[in-house]
Amino acid sequence: MAEPHSAPEPSRSSGGGSGGGPLYRRPAPLLFEPAEAAPDDEHFFGLESLTDPKELLDRATELVHAFRAAADRAQEYQASAAAQLADPKRFDKLPDEAIADRGGWSEEYARKMIQFGQDLLRDRVPGTRPPGRQ
């Protein structure tokens, strides 16, 4: 019995247009493909290349302050989100236990974060203070 008809294989040669079939080409990378990792994973904000200990201490201290400020700000966003999720006016209000689970906290810590978030929201947004409270 004869084998089923199959498509001809493309030419793998790189020689000009007389090869007969199409050439294999590597597809262009997509815009969202990650770049290849650098072979040296020891880079940390360029600190490893600093040789002057005074400059290293100054730069490392700047980074510590920046990371602490970022952590504090992120915590404020966590608290604001927890307060919004616990708002009794929301139809999808979450109980403290569910907020604690989502945040990876204890229930007691979740209640403190909710309170902190309520204070932040009340103080940050003009006109959000409940009537009769100053």
Side-chain angles (χ1 to χ4, degrees):
M1 182 181 254
E3 290 188 32
H5 180 69
S6 61
E9 289 187 31
S11 170
R12 295 180 188 220
S13 69
S14 60
S18 63
L23 299 176
Y24 282 120
R25 292 189 181 172
R26 184 168 186 239
L30 299 174
L31 296 177
F32 57 85
E33 285 184 2
E36 282 192 36
D40 185 8
D41 293 332
E42 295 293 320
H43 295 293
F44 188 75
F45 295 94
L47 295 179
E48 71 286 337
S49 65
L50 298 177
T51 56
D52 179 17
K54 292 176 187 174
E55 186 179 354
L56 178 60
L57 178 61
D58 291 345
R59 180 68 178 130
T61 302
E62 288 174 5
L63 286 171
V64 166
H65 291 299
F67 285 129
R68 283 183 184 154
D72 289 345
R73 189 158 183 200
Q75 190 175 37
E76 289 177 357
Y77 278 104
Q78 280 183 314
S80 296
Q84 291 173 24
L85 290 170
D87 188 349
K89 294 180 229 152
R90 290 178 61 107
F91 75 93
D92 59 348
K93 174 192 181 293
L94 293 179
D96 296 352
E97 179 181 301
I99 294 170
D101 285 343
R102 289 186 72 100
W105 307 321
S106 69
E107 216 173 311
E108 181 182 344
Y109 187 77
R111 283 191 288 275
K112 289 179 182 182
M113 287 294 277
I114 291 166
Q115 181 60 50
F116 178 47
Q118 289 168 340
D119 293 343
L120 287 172
L121 292 172
R122 186 173 41 253
D123 292 342
R124 284 191 178 165
V125 183
T128 58
R129 292 186 192 269
R133 294 176 107 191
Q134 292 295 331

